[in-house]
Amino acid sequence: MAELTFVRPEFRVRIDRETCIKCGRCVHQCGWSVYHLDEEGRPIPDHAKCAACHRCVTFCPTDSITIEKNPLAYKDSDSMSPAHRKAIWRQAETGGVLLTGMGNDRPYLRIFDHLLLDACQVTNPSIDPLREPMELRTFLGRKPDFVQVAMGDNGSGPRLLTELDPQLKLETPIMFGGMSFGSVSLNVHRALAMAAKESGTYMNTGEGGLHADLEPYQDHIIVQCASGRFGVHADYLQAGAAVEIKIGQGAKPGIGGHLPGEKIDEQVSTTRMIPQGTDALSPAPHHDIYSIEDLRQLIYAIKEATGYKPVSVKIAAVHNVAAIASGVVRAGADIVYLDGFRGGTGAAPTVIRDHVGIPIEIAIAVVDQRLRDEGIRNRASIVAAGGIRSSADVAKAIALGADACGIGTPVLVAMGCHVCQKCHTGCCSWGITTQRPELTRRLDPEWGAERVSNLVRAWSHEVAEILGALGVNAIESLRGSRERLRALGLDESTMRILGVKPAGVGH
Amino acid sequence: MTDHFRRDADSAARGLNRIGEADRRSAVRRYGGLPAPGSRVPDMGPRPEYSAEAEERILGGCGLMGVCDESGGRMSGELAVRSMASMHDRGNGLGGGFAGYGIYPDFPHAFCFHMLYTDDASKDDTEYYLARHFVVLHHEPIPTRPVRGIQDEPILWRYFLEITDQRLAETQLSAEDYVVHAVMDINAHINGAFVASSGRNMGAFKGVGFPEEIGQFYRLDEYQGWTWTGHGRFPTNTPGWWGGAHPFCLLDYSIVHNGEISSYGINQRYLEGFGYNCTLRTDTEVVTYLFDLMLRRHGLPVEIACKALASPFWKDIDLMPDDQRKLYSALRMVYGPALLNGPFAVVLGMGEGMVALNDRIKLRPLVAARNGSTVYVASEESAIREICAKPERSWMPRAGEPVVARLAEGVNPAASRSGEAFEVAASPAAVA
């Protein structure tokens, strides 16, 4: 008998039969196989398969398709919501862990939306970014406590006596978060590499190794070393501008990366150095890091292997993040990459994605303050990621204390992602989180690079506008300047932790 | 100074150095005294709300001036008062002040604390504190004369202080750091007491009133100094606290400031990491502390410190020759949190001379002039010509280009920076 399921379709695909010209494009475009043509050539949808990714809607030449929420009513219960009921039914059917993609979609408090920025009026002038220089250049890496300078004698200028550690130079305080080749397509990686070069920033390989095609862009690539060590070898470590040790990820703290075998084709297999078609399951911890001193050994092993390039350590924002970050900095990391609980993922257990970790806003605030309290804030840069949605979020994150922001989901959205949260299925109609060749070829890397570069340029202009309104002309004057933030509708303890005063209180 | 000011000095000094008044001891114990050796952030207990002037930070515009005779020739304070009087309209009578250098030739090596007290209790507490931590060579009221327009003046007292070698050995601090700790202690923890200045052979004279009234009040015509700075204030609210007037001082550094530091939030947090408590509700305070940090503790040449505080733009740094690009890039990377952003003109008075500096896009006025060995700076050229009608040269300093007046060798023997080795001794590379 056909499988009985209580889980009714989430969406309904409505086709205007009067305007449909039966071209069949929807059938071809859908990565989820929603459509088939009946004997008269009319597209017939299978509502249950629809992810609301809008690929068919976008490409229908007569605008005949729309997607609606299934209006099916459920008996009201604030406690046992329809979502809870559906999850239980699914698990009763399968006995499995529910999987999902993208970031936490639960309606937790969005702190960024409760923070407001300052502006100048009368007593100090605002600065016009269209007429005056506005500087966003950011250097990530360890800085000394102070520098020593020798004043030149007999005509020679002053000289720097202090040797600085190598730094990553960003023309704007925005970089791309780690997304592995395998979870995303090679064309996505190509687009990100080109966009990073164009924007003067960095892409991050994620844990899937570095495809040979990307070598020309290696000055703008951070290579990641995660617990699975996929694609990690000496040349790989040396290929990047910096190396990132991924301890955790905001979407799934405490869990390793999961890449289903369906997404492991020949190219992914070669790059990752694993057999085709096998699941790539990264262990939850690094099997050579069971404590902070082990991390220190790995950091310095990587530094030795790379001629002392900057080493970033990516950790998920969890309850004890301040103390952990302090340990990471003391272990020798040049960059601490904090990933908040709204960060995206290619695949994660829904229960972990939705219930583990803390907001990035809180993590930035407590880590920045802890490092300052310990007098080691200058020893490492803080990159904040996992929940950055706009240039306003970037500015607020920097005001809270981040040096730069990492963005993953926004760059995918720029390239067509509609946040349908089905990355783990490998059926992405937009050719982003899939390895099916008929789908991946839909994303032209140059087109994608242009879209992403545009996004970075637009956000950078907007951050510059914010700086101008604040009356400062360099990003370092906003960094950690919580005095320029006010909270609206946050409780006392959250404001204390953020180090932000309520709106209405002056300087 | 005249004998009049020295009345009963000896007997009072003896009293100050007596320890053991039980009723005062508990108060001092609460402040914790000077911090334990080696602690990076002073362990001084919870910081009280400091709202003597206002709940909020004060904004405002101002007029300022500075004059320094590099040869060490002494000028009457009347000169600075006259110059400021010509800029009367740049202030609104809610704050005026001056700093003079070389004015205490009788005590050239003693740290001179100019104190403002709201009441006798704060004076008693402070004097107990000073007696416990210093040798009081001499103390006296700061001489004043009645001036119409000046009212509600606090108790004004000055102390010439030394620190015993034994005390320095016990605390493992340089004399300068010892003084900084004491200033922070008093300002943060003794209610009603405020250290207006704490340098050697210098002092700050400030209060609520127009600068010319303040100058009259403090009898500045009776002092002779090789450097003078002055300030008239235009705060945008109506406070009445004398400590809020400029200059803001720490050790030999004094700052008069016109403008607002829009980067105050991060400057303050950066300074807290080095143990400075910013409690005075004014952004000028951070300028003073940043100069103390960079010049004295980090040992940077003053021209370089200015290039970090009002740094060149990247577009210009990118065009510099290699070694210069490396230097200026490093300054921005390391001292980014110290960058003073927003509109300002400041005049820094210090033991070695005087420095004037504009913000990086010159959003506040500053004019400079030189006549012989004397360097003049002011918000308006008229204020310079008021006291030097025909300078050999006058010019508009460019944005971020410091005007430096340096006293000739030997003019001020107290100006050698003995605190320098304190921080620099630790190699920056040794932080791994």
Side-chain angles (χ1 to χ4, degrees):
Chain A
M1 99 183 220
E3 292 266 343
L4 174 70
T5 176
F6 301 157
V7 182
R8 304 321 303 160
E10 195 175 356
F11 305 103
R12 294 191 70 78
V13 181
R14 199 161 59 78
I15 300 167
D16 187 335
R17 297 297 174 191
E18 288 197 358
T19 55
C20 172
I21 56 171
K22 303 176 192 175
C23 66
R25 198 177 281 187
C26 50
V27 182
H28 172 71
Q29 290 294 333
C30 183
W32 319 93
S33 311
V34 166
Y35 299 95
H36 72 274
L37 295 177
D38 67 5
E39 56 278 12
E40 289 171 34
R42 295 184 306 176
I44 306 298
D46 177 352
H47 302 300
K49 290 179 179 168
C50 179
C53 80
H54 295 190
R55 181 77 188 183
C56 59
V57 174
T58 309
F59 281 83
C60 176
T62 57
D63 273 336
S64 298
I65 307 174
T66 191
I67 314 287
E68 296 170 340
K69 273 189 178 170
N70 189 343
L72 177 63
Y74 292 79
K75 172 68 180 139
D76 284 345
S77 168
D78 276 349
S79 170
M80 187 58 84
S81 68
H84 283 115
R85 281 172 247 180
K86 285 189 213 173
I88 290 170
W89 289 328
R90 274 204 194 90
Q91 294 189 297
E93 287 164 16
T94 63
V97 170
L98 298 177
L99 291 180
T100 187
M102 302 307 298
N104 193 326
D105 63 359
R106 304 280 88 203
Y108 294 101
L109 179 72
R110 288 178 299 274
I111 294 174
F112 278 136
D113 295 343
H114 292 266
L115 293 175
L116 296 169
L117 289 153
D118 194 13
C120 291
Q121 297 287 293
V122 185
T123 54
N124 52 347
S126 44
I127 302 173
D128 187 344
L130 297 176
R131 294 178 172 83
E132 304 278 352
M134 201 52 74
E135 301 186 312
L136 302 183
R137 189 181 290 179
T138 299
F139 287 88
L140 302 182
R142 167 180 305 207
K143 320 286 193 296
D145 292 352
F146 58 92
V147 297
Q148 286 177 275
V149 177
M151 290 308 278
D153 33 17
N154 50 38
S156 72
R159 235 166 6 93
L160 181 69
L161 300 176
T162 309
E163 188 72 36
L164 261 63
D165 289 292
Q167 309 278 325
L168 293 182
K169 177 176 158 189
L170 283 67
E171 292 300 341
T172 182
I174 299 165
M175 63 202 298
F176 306 143
M179 291 179 285
S180 70
F181 171 43
S183 74
V184 296
S185 69
L186 183 56
N187 280 347
V188 170
H189 257 210
R190 288 192 181 108
L192 290 179
M194 283 186 242
K197 189 173 181 185
E198 166 72 23
S199 308
T201 185
Y202 295 85
M203 74 159 306
N204 186 311
T205 60
E207 64 166 322
L210 181 69
H211 193 277
D213 285 8
L214 268 58
E215 275 164 21
Y217 302 97
Q218 56 184 240
D219 291 345
H220 292 275
I221 294 177
I222 296 168
V223 296
Q224 200 180 70
C225 168
S227 59
R229 303 288 155 88
F230 298 120
V232 175
H233 48 82
D235 293 343
Y236 168 77
L237 293 176
Q238 279 172 10
V243 180
E244 179 166 278
I245 300 171
K246 178 199 166 189
I247 301 293
Q249 182 177 344
K252 43 180 172 179
I255 303 243
H258 292 181
L259 188 65
E262 293 78 18
K263 288 174 89 168
I264 303 195
D265 66 0
E266 191 196 337
Q267 295 274 320
V268 175
S269 139
T270 309
T271 307
R272 292 208 174 205
M273 307 189 300
I274 55 171
Q276 215 168 319
T278 55
D279 288 348
L281 303 179
S282 296
H286 286 246
H287 283 313
D288 53 359
I289 303 179
Y290 277 77
S291 68
I292 193 77
E293 60 270 25
D294 293 341
L295 175 66
R296 184 179 175 84
Q297 287 202 357
L298 183 60
I299 289 172
Y300 279 91
I302 287 173
K303 287 190 175 188
E304 286 292 334
T306 59
Y308 281 75
K309 284 181 181 170
V311 173
S312 167
V313 173
K314 176 175 179 176
I315 53 174
V318 291
H319 301 179
N320 199 28
V321 66
I324 296 164
S326 163
V328 166
V329 174
R330 289 179 189 281
D334 301 280
I335 298 164
V336 185
Y337 189 107
L338 299 172
D339 204 14
F341 83 143
R342 285 207 169 80
T345 175
T350 311
V351 64
I352 300 290
R353 187 198 74 168
D354 289 355
H355 300 280
V356 178
I358 62 170
I360 188 61
E361 301 92 322
I362 300 272
I364 300 165
V366 297
V367 169
D368 175 64
Q369 190 57 49
R370 172 66 72 95
L371 298 184
R372 285 181 191 281
D373 289 347
E374 296 186 8
I376 55 174
R377 179 62 183 87
N378 56 315
R379 286 202 216 167
S381 298
I382 297 174
V383 179
I388 307 289
R389 306 154 302 169
S390 65
S391 60
D393 291 355
V394 172
K396 291 169 187 177
I398 289 172
L400 284 171
D403 288 270
C405 287
I407 54 172
T409 304
V411 299
L412 299 187
V413 172
M415 287 189 280
C417 166
H418 279 56
V419 196
C420 75
Q421 311 186 30
K422 297 278 193 297
C423 323
H424 55 296
T425 61
C427 298
C428 179
S429 300
W430 294 93
I432 295 170
T433 58
T434 177
Q435 303 302 330
R436 282 159 53 184
E438 77 276 17
L439 298 178
T440 58
R441 70 176 191 198
R442 291 178 176 181
L443 181 70
D444 173 2
E446 290 187 3
W447 176 86
E450 192 189 330
R451 307 259 310 178
V452 172
S453 301
N454 281 346
L455 178 73
V456 174
R457 190 177 307 117
W459 282 19
S460 302
H461 280 311
E462 289 177 344
V463 172
E465 291 284 349
I466 289 170
L467 289 185
L470 289 165
V472 299
N473 49 21
I475 192 76
E476 52 261 50
S477 296
L478 175 62
R479 187 179 306 132
S481 201
R482 300 177 188 181
E483 184 57 44
R484 308 311 295 274
L485 291 173
R486 288 294 180 271
L488 187 65
L490 291 177
D491 60 89
E492 285 280 341
S493 56
T494 305
M495 285 192 288
R496 194 184 65 245
I497 287 166
L498 292 172
V500 172
K501 297 170 189 163
V505 174
H507 294 303
Chain B
M1 286 178 295
T2 67
D3 289 336
H4 165 70
F5 304 134
R6 289 182 182 161
R7 61 173 191 256
D8 295 333
D10 289 347
S11 58
R14 274 198 301 278
L16 279 177
N17 278 322
R18 197 178 68 234
I19 299 179
E21 295 159 279
D23 56 336
R24 297 277 166 248
R25 196 180 291 159
S26 59
V28 173
R29 199 172 284 149
R30 180 163 60 83
Y31 311 137
L34 281 157
S39 69
R40 193 179 177 100
V41 181
D43 173 23
M44 297 198 295
R47 186 190 311 171
E49 282 294 316
Y50 205 105
S51 53
E53 177 159 69
E55 293 293 336
E56 303 179 353
R57 202 148 50 81
I58 312 288
L59 315 173
C62 309
L64 49 76
M65 64 78 62
V67 55
C68 174
D69 186 343
E70 293 181 322
S71 71
R74 287 170 204 249
M75 300 161 277
S76 163
E78 183 268 339
L79 209 64
V81 178
R82 192 147 47 88
S83 172
M84 282 310 303
S86 77
M87 295 189 288
H88 179 90
D89 285 352
R90 297 192 71 87
N92 64 359
L94 290 176
F98 299 86
Y101 289 78
I103 58 174
Y104 295 130
D106 293 351
F107 297 98
H109 294 283
F111 291 98
C112 178
F113 278 35
H114 278 205
M115 295 298 310
L116 314 182
Y117 299 120
T118 53
D119 51 28
D120 287 336
S122 56
K123 179 166 177 281
D124 288 351
D125 280 352
T126 306
E127 291 184 348
Y128 180 79
Y129 182 91
L130 292 177
R132 194 175 139 169
H133 293 294
F134 296 90
V135 178
V136 180
L137 297 179
H138 176 65
H139 74 115
E140 62 189 7
I142 300 174
T144 60
R145 66 165 73 96
V147 171
R148 195 197 335 217
I150 300 293
Q151 54 198 357
D152 299 332
E153 67 263 31
I155 301 168
L156 300 163
W157 216 270
R158 62 186 167 208
Y159 304 83
F160 294 90
L161 307 172
E162 266 185 4
I163 310 151
T164 62
D165 290 344
Q166 186 194 348
R167 197 73 186 106
L168 291 181
E170 282 167 8
T171 55
Q172 298 283 297
L173 292 169
S174 69
E176 286 81 1
D177 279 308
Y178 190 94
V179 170
V180 173
H181 283 306
V183 171
M184 297 285 154
D185 267 3
I186 295 169
N187 283 349
H189 296 292
I190 302 185
N191 262 328
F194 178 71
V195 186
S197 63
S198 52
R200 284 157 300 198
N201 207 350
M202 63 82 69
F205 305 89
K206 62 187 197 173
V208 176
F210 281 102
E212 60 272 24
E213 295 168 348
I214 293 293
Q216 278 280 314
F217 173 78
Y218 278 109
R219 309 164 74 138
L220 292 189
D221 46 305
E222 296 173 6
Y223 296 83
Q224 298 285 320
W226 54 62
T227 303
W228 287 96
T229 65
H231 188 266
R233 194 167 173 233
F234 198 133
T236 47
N237 57 2
T238 53
W241 184 49
W242 283 46
H246 297 219
F248 282 89
C249 305
L250 186 67
L251 294 169
D252 298 352
Y253 304 110
S254 68
I255 288 284
V256 290
H257 166 217
N258 170 20
E260 186 182 346
I261 307 301
S262 304
S263 54
Y264 174 83
I266 184 55
N267 300 143
Q268 179 210 352
R269 295 185 74 212
Y270 177 66
L271 285 164
E272 279 177 352
F274 291 96
Y276 297 90
N277 286 338
C278 301
T279 54
L280 302 182
R281 310 261 174 215
T282 166
D283 43 13
T284 307
E285 185 184 22
V286 300
V287 185
T288 308
Y289 298 162
L290 283 169
F291 271 114
D292 179 57
L293 175 71
M294 299 174 82
L295 299 184
R296 181 176 63 85
R297 290 173 65 184
H298 290 179
L300 288 175
V302 68
E303 292 85 350
I304 300 298
C306 288
K307 290 297 181 189
L309 295 175
S311 69
F313 284 93
W314 283 116
K315 65 181 171 57
D316 300 322
I317 294 174
D318 288 345
L319 297 175
M320 291 176 178
D322 271 357
D323 55 336
Q324 297 299 294
R325 192 173 62 242
K326 217 173 133 191
L327 168 65
Y328 286 100
S329 299
L331 283 178
R332 291 203 62 174
M333 287 183 216
V334 176
Y335 290 106
L339 175 66
L340 291 173
N341 220 315
F344 69 83
V346 298
V347 181
L348 165 74
M350 55 182 193
E352 297 91 333
M354 178 184 81
V355 180
L357 180 68
N358 253 146
D359 65 78
R360 58 205 307 244
I361 50 177
K362 200 168 172 90
L363 291 171
R364 288 290 155 103
L366 184 69
V367 188
R370 175 180 276 280
N371 196 43
S373 60
T374 308
V375 178
Y376 301 85
V377 292
S379 297
E380 298 177 10
E381 191 168 346
S382 58
I384 295 175
R385 297 208 179 250
E386 177 70 28
I387 55 174
C388 176
K390 286 196 166 44
E392 287 161 9
R393 187 181 157 225
S394 67
W395 72 98
M396 281 279 195
R398 297 173 66 91
E401 285 292 336
V403 177
V404 180
R406 209 180 291 275
L407 289 174
E409 199 76 26
V411 170
N412 183 7
S416 65
R417 295 195 304 249
S418 61
E420 196 172 315
F422 174 66
E423 278 283 326
V424 177
S427 156
V431 290

